[in-house]
């Protein structure tokens, strides 16, 4: 909320000039190399980033996708659509055995099935930047600011990963050494490691947030991409656990990611989406409350339930055990056979 209020007070023309200075600093002088790396999922935001960097600023970006193993059909179509903007794209698919083992441990140790993906989107683009000698990595959102997190990052225009940052923001304070005690080897985790300081310094890697330089509005990004790139929303209607149909479309496991967020924090996907739209004055708070009460605590569909059991090789007992392990009893109470939130938004 604080960040959103600040957006109305920022001189975006001045920010754009600052952005252009960054771009010109790293634009390839001989046109034989890429100008920047853009981490992409194929979603509305990374499609928006790629189009703007290519068409508005005239850059030659290399798109880098850390491929989730559970990619949806609409996710595949939108990633292919992003390439048609006219960019090269590297799709990195991690060793599925290691990925799924990390996903299972991510659930039991962190309550997060998507933990390997959350690491990979930080590490793989920088590894490729080092290998291709491309100093500038252009990220979209500073999630700590856009979605609520560490307030000390409010003025970050980018980051070079100071000591401890990667563990704090990407690894949930579980450095990779922690996983060596869970049967993983250094070779298993090599693609989940950030380049060494020596490697990053050699290429002089910098990562910058586009949200620092532009007036970033998720729904506006969606409509912009529909109009300019042919981006497609979810074809069969709203996403599970919410009322929207245009965000976070590429992972089949997403309904469970947001369901575990609900168990741990008492707020789910509908709260995330509604809060954004209230801040951007697209809906009223009263409308948001009605949407949250209707969709936030929605249990994943039967299709999603069957998928996660097969995808992670869980028994039903293991899945329910994980749910109860991560349920925050300060927020939930049992009434009869049902769990209900002790307080609901009003």
């Amino acid at each position: 909320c604080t960040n959103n209020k600040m957006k109305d007070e920022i001189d975006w023309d001045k920010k754009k000039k600052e952005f252009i200075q960054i771009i010109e600093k790293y634009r390839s002088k001989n046109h034989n190399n890429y100008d920047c790396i853009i981490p992409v999922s194929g979603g509305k935001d990374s499609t928006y980033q790629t189009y703007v960097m290519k068409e508005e600023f005239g850059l030659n970006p290399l798109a880098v996708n850390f491929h989730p193993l559970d990619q949806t059909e609409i996710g595949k179509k939108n990633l292919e659509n992003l390439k048609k903007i006219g960019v090269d794209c590297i799709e990195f698919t991690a060793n599925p055995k290691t990925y799924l083992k990390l996903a299972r441990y991510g659930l039991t140790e962190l309550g997060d099935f998507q933990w390997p993906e959350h690491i990979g989107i930080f590490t793989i683009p920088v590894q490729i930047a080092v290998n291709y000698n491309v100093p500038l990595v252009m990220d979209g959102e500073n999630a700590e600011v856009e979605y609520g997190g560490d307030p000390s990052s409010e003025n970050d225009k980018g980051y070079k990963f100071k000591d401890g940052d990667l563990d704090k923001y990407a690894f949930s304070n579980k450095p990779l050494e922690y996983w060596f005690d869970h049967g993983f080897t250094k070779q298993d985790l090599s693609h989940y490691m950030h380049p060494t300081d020596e490697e990053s310094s050699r290429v002089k890697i910098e990562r910058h947030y586009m949200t620092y330089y532009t007036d970033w509005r998720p729904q506006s990004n969606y409509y912009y991409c529909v109009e300019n790139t042919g981006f497609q929303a979810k074809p069969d209607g709203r996403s599970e656990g919410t009322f929207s149909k245009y965000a976070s479309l590429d992972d089949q496991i997403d309904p469970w990611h947001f369901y575990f967020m609900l168990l741990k924090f008492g707020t789910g996907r509908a709260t995330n989406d509604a809060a954004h739209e209230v801040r951007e004055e697209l809906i009223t708070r009263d409308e948001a409350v009605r949407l949250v009460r209707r969709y936030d605590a929605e249990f994943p569909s039967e299709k999603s339930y069957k998928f996660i059991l097969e995808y992670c090789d869980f028994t039903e007992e293991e899945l329910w055990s994980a749910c109860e392990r991560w349920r925050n009893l300060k927020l939930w109470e049992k009434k009869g056979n049902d769990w209900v939130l002790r307080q609901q938004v009003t």
Side-chain angles (χ1 to χ4, degrees):
C1 291
T2 301
N3 177 63
N4 192 73
K5 185 178 180 181
M6 288 170 56
K7 287 181 178 181
D8 295 330
E9 302 168 358
I10 289 173
D11 183 343
W12 291 110
D13 289 334
K14 183 178 178 181
K15 289 275 191 177
K16 185 175 181 178
K17 292 176 182 177
E18 187 177 350
F19 190 41
I20 290 172
Q21 288 179 341
I22 295 291
I23 288 172
E24 294 307 321
K25 176 182 176 183
Y26 289 104
R27 191 188 294 273
S28 178
K29 300 299 186 290
N30 56 16
H31 305 290
N32 292 326
N33 199 14
Y34 298 107
D35 298 314
C36 66
I37 300 286
I38 301 180
V40 303
S41 66
K44 60 178 175 39
D45 294 328
S46 57
T47 300
Y48 172 80
Q49 281 172 256
T50 304
Y51 186 88
V52 168
M53 296 295 278
K54 172 80 175 179
E55 298 299 331
E56 183 176 342
F57 293 102
L59 295 184
N60 177 30
L62 173 61
V64 176
N65 172 255
F66 182 85
H67 215 313
L69 296 187
D70 59 323
Q71 192 178 32
T72 62
E73 288 304 312
I74 190 62
K76 294 175 186 177
K77 289 180 181 178
N78 279 327
L79 183 58
E80 290 303 312
N81 179 67
L82 180 148
K83 297 173 189 176
K84 292 176 184 176
I85 293 171
V87 296
D88 294 338
C89 178
I90 292 177
E91 294 183 57
F92 182 88
T93 303
N95 178 329
K97 289 186 177 180
T98 302
Y99 184 105
L100 289 173
K101 188 177 177 182
L102 278 171
R104 286 176 60 89
Y105 271 108
L107 175 67
T108 57
E109 299 297 315
L110 302 169
D112 182 5
F113 292 99
Q114 293 176 318
W115 193 76
E117 184 182 350
H118 295 157
I119 303 173
I121 61 176
F122 272 93
T123 57
I124 289 300
V126 185
Q127 289 188 12
I128 290 175
V130 168
N131 290 334
Y132 278 73
N133 196 34
V134 182
L136 178 61
V137 180
M138 182 56 67
D139 283 299
E141 297 167 317
N142 178 350
E144 296 296 308
V145 173
E146 294 296 315
Y147 295 101
D150 184 353
S152 69
S153 68
E154 281 180 5
N155 294 316
D156 284 356
K157 62 182 69 174
Y159 47 94
K160 298 180 181 179
F161 282 124
K162 302 182 290 295
D163 289 343
D165 277 2
L166 202 63
D167 291 345
K168 181 178 180 181
Y169 295 126
F171 295 168
S172 299
N173 285 318
K174 299 285 187 188
L176 288 179
E177 291 77 7
Y178 170 88
W179 300 98
F180 296 155
D181 295 332
H182 290 75
F184 294 95
T185 66
K186 191 171 183 178
Q187 183 178 7
D188 290 333
L189 301 178
S190 61
H191 295 302
Y192 300 97
M193 294 181 178
H194 198 266
T196 65
D197 289 343
E198 181 181 355
E199 291 170 327
S200 295
S201 296
R202 175 177 59 81
V203 183
K204 299 181 180 178
I205 296 291
E206 287 192 22
R207 296 184 79 158
H208 286 261
Y209 300 116
M210 202 163 178
T211 50
Y212 180 83
Y213 302 100
T214 64
D215 189 5
W216 186 271
R217 310 280 177 168
Q219 193 178 98
S220 296
N221 290 357
Y222 163 62
Y223 286 118
Y224 183 94
C225 290
V226 169
E227 181 178 349
N228 291 286
T229 74
F231 177 83
Q232 296 180 43
K234 196 168 181 288
D236 53 352
R238 67 179 182 84
S239 299
E240 294 177 33
T242 191
F243 56 92
S244 72
K245 62 177 183 178
Y246 59 79
S248 194
L249 304 179
D250 51 320
D251 289 352
Q252 295 185 61
I253 214 76
D254 257 9
W256 286 97
H257 175 72
F258 287 104
Y259 186 71
F260 269 79
M261 182 175 78
L262 176 74
L263 294 178
K264 291 189 283 186
F265 305 114
T267 59
R269 188 170 188 172
T271 296
N272 262 20
D273 292 343
H276 251 296
E277 296 202 2
V278 170
R279 289 195 292 267
E280 294 173 23
E281 299 182 352
L282 300 169
I283 61 175
T284 67
R285 187 182 185 282
D286 287 343
E287 289 173 315
V289 168
R290 289 195 292 271
L291 290 166
V292 168
R293 291 180 72 90
R294 182 171 182 178
Y295 295 118
D296 218 34
E298 182 177 56
F299 190 75
S301 67
E302 183 178 358
K303 179 181 178 182
S304 294
Y305 184 72
K306 290 180 178 178
F307 176 79
I308 197 171
L309 294 177
E310 180 179 353
Y311 173 69
C312 283
D313 192 25
F314 284 134
T315 65
E316 292 190 57
E317 291 75 17
E318 286 176 318
L319 178 58
W320 284 108
S321 176
C323 287
E324 296 317 312
R325 174 179 180 182
W326 288 102
R327 188 186 299 278
N328 187 336
L329 295 180
K330 293 180 180 179
L331 304 174
W332 296 88
E333 62 180 337
K334 201 163 191 179
K335 292 186 177 180
N337 293 324
D338 297 324
W339 284 102
V340 297
L341 285 167
R342 295 180 185 275
Q343 290 184 323
Q344 284 197 320
V345 63
T346 58

